Amino acid sequence: MNLLLTGCFTYSDEQIELVRSLGFSIYFIQQETSEIPVPASEIEAIVCNGLFLSHDIDVFSNLKFIQLTSAGFDRVPVDKVNARQIKLYNARGVYSAPMAEWALFRVLEHYKQGWFFKQEQDAGQWAKHRGLREIAGTNVAVIGAGNVGQEVAKRFQALGARTTGFDIHTDKTPGFDCMVLTGTLQEHVGEFDIVIATAPLLPSTRGIISRDILSAMKRNAMIVNIARGGLIDETAMCEILAERKDLFAALDVFETEPLAQDSPLWELDNVAISPHNSFVSDGNNYRMFDVIYNNLKNFITEH
């Protein structure tokens, strides 16, 4: 069975041999925009990230299996995949821990004024800051109560915060004290000290954090986005953050990446920017290969 691997994941020689031992003939491209090394119609399984942004899935006429190295499905023509009954897997659980730690880090960095103390250290100054805050007792909203959202909630809950999950269901969910429907976000957003976006980007979630919701945020609230930039109305966010200096935003993802140099977000003092980096961790390779290998093993066993 022919398997196409791409440079979206770095395999060791041992990992390649483990995959080959399952019975796959392996082909490889480093850049996902590169030409496929064999006729696309001969490829039956693919491990990739954004391959279908530059290659038409229709030319892969015998494709039966896709493993993504991303948690989101927004770079895949899901309708065509479902219509052709192609097995589709994501990186569920692989990046949840580092992303959850990043959300907690950004909130603690702001609450404990990490930037202030680094600046004072660089200046060789002994200066106290009397405006530090604590997470204990805060109300935290997590938009998207999936795997990443649950890991985020558990960490904030452990520090004494009350966590509320916003999703399409209200089922009891690990890490959350309360679950409510996403459609009620406008009604409730003013209750929260911290709002964290972890939801997938879907037609139903694009722009879910709207101008009205941003305007209704609690005084001195903080918003963290570690999911997808398209969840937030970025134009509205720029305008509201410029007007409301009491708000603070920690943004790891943006509508267009890299973030344009002329974006007003760069100049705002109440914004912390990182380059879509929250998922990075020294534990990802092990977890990702475990997902890839087990899904490929199950797939080839079934065929």
Side-chain angles (χ1 to χ4, degrees):
M1 186 171 287
N2 293 331
L3 168 66
L4 177 66
L5 304 178
T6 79
C8 66
F9 181 78
T10 302
Y11 301 85
S12 67
D13 292 341
E14 180 183 6
Q15 288 171 337
I16 289 289
E17 288 309 312
L18 282 171
V19 173
R20 187 174 281 117
S21 72
L22 294 175
F24 288 101
S25 297
I26 297 175
Y27 298 90
F28 181 81
I29 55 172
Q30 181 61 45
Q31 302 297 327
E32 295 191 331
T33 54
S34 299
E35 183 178 349
I36 308 300
V38 293
S41 60
E42 296 181 12
I43 299 295
E44 296 160 277
I46 294 174
V47 180
C48 66
N49 183 1
L51 183 75
F52 301 111
L53 297 177
S54 52
H55 295 275
D56 188 349
I57 197 171
D58 291 338
V59 302
F60 295 91
S61 54
N62 286 309
L63 188 60
K64 302 177 180 68
F65 173 99
I66 301 170
Q67 171 69 63
L68 301 175
T69 57
S70 63
F73 294 102
D74 48 297
R75 298 177 179 177
V76 182
V78 174
D79 290 345
K80 289 186 176 182
V81 169
N82 291 338
R84 290 173 52 183
Q85 297 184 317
I86 299 170
K87 298 280 189 181
L88 176 62
Y89 301 92
N90 69 341
R92 178 178 174 80
V94 172
Y95 309 117
S96 301
M99 291 175 71
E101 289 180 6
W102 184 269
L104 181 59
F105 153 68
R106 278 308 207 187
V107 173
L108 282 170
E109 180 184 50
H110 177 54
Y111 271 35
K112 304 304 182 184
Q113 293 296 317
W115 289 1
F116 169 83
F117 291 111
K118 182 61 171 71
Q119 289 168 359
E120 296 306 299
Q121 177 182 334
D122 290 345
Q125 297 183 162
W126 183 272
K128 295 185 183 296
H129 194 298
R130 301 296 182 180
L132 306 190
R133 301 167 68 182
E134 58 187 60
I135 290 174
T138 58
N139 286 322
V140 178
V142 181
I143 303 170
N147 197 260
V148 175
Q150 290 171 36
E151 293 300 316
V152 168
K154 283 188 274 187
R155 283 158 177 78
F156 280 89
Q157 202 175 53
L159 292 183
R162 176 175 172 78
T163 56
T164 300
F166 286 82
D167 214 305
I168 58 173
H169 65 85
T170 57
D171 301 337
K172 185 174 177 58
T173 304
F176 293 101
D177 296 300
C178 177
M179 289 290 300
V180 294
L181 295 175
T182 307
T184 66
L185 183 59
Q186 172 74 46
E187 177 185 346
H188 294 293
V189 70
E191 303 168 12
F192 296 100
D193 304 285
I194 302 163
V195 177
I196 304 171
T198 66
L201 182 61
L202 305 167
S204 59
T205 61
R206 180 173 291 279
I208 193 169
I209 303 175
S210 64
R211 179 182 295 274
D212 288 344
I213 286 173
L214 290 164
S215 297
M217 287 182 69
K218 184 178 181 179
R219 181 162 181 78
N220 296 317
M222 179 175 181
I223 186 166
V224 181
N225 190 2
I226 54 173
R228 287 289 188 265
L231 295 175
I232 301 179
D233 181 338
E234 198 166 289
T235 299
M237 179 173 60
C238 290
E239 295 172 0
I240 290 168
L241 288 172
E243 295 168 1
R244 288 190 58 183
K245 296 300 184 181
D246 63 292
L247 298 179
F248 191 89
L251 308 172
D252 187 56
V253 288
F254 304 89
E255 288 189 38
T256 301
E257 297 179 358
L259 181 64
Q261 284 298 308
D262 61 355
S263 170
L265 290 171
W266 291 110
E267 305 299 326
L268 294 174
D269 292 335
N270 52 342
V271 176
I273 291 172
S274 53
H276 203 145
N277 213 87
S278 65
F279 70 95
V280 176
S281 167
D282 55 0
N284 286 348
N285 186 281
Y286 168 78
R287 289 189 294 268
M288 188 70 249
F289 183 74
D290 193 50
V291 169
I292 292 169
Y293 179 81
N294 285 315
N295 284 339
L296 285 171
K297 182 180 179 180
N298 292 338
F299 170 70
I300 204 163
T301 299
E302 295 169 0
H303 289 77

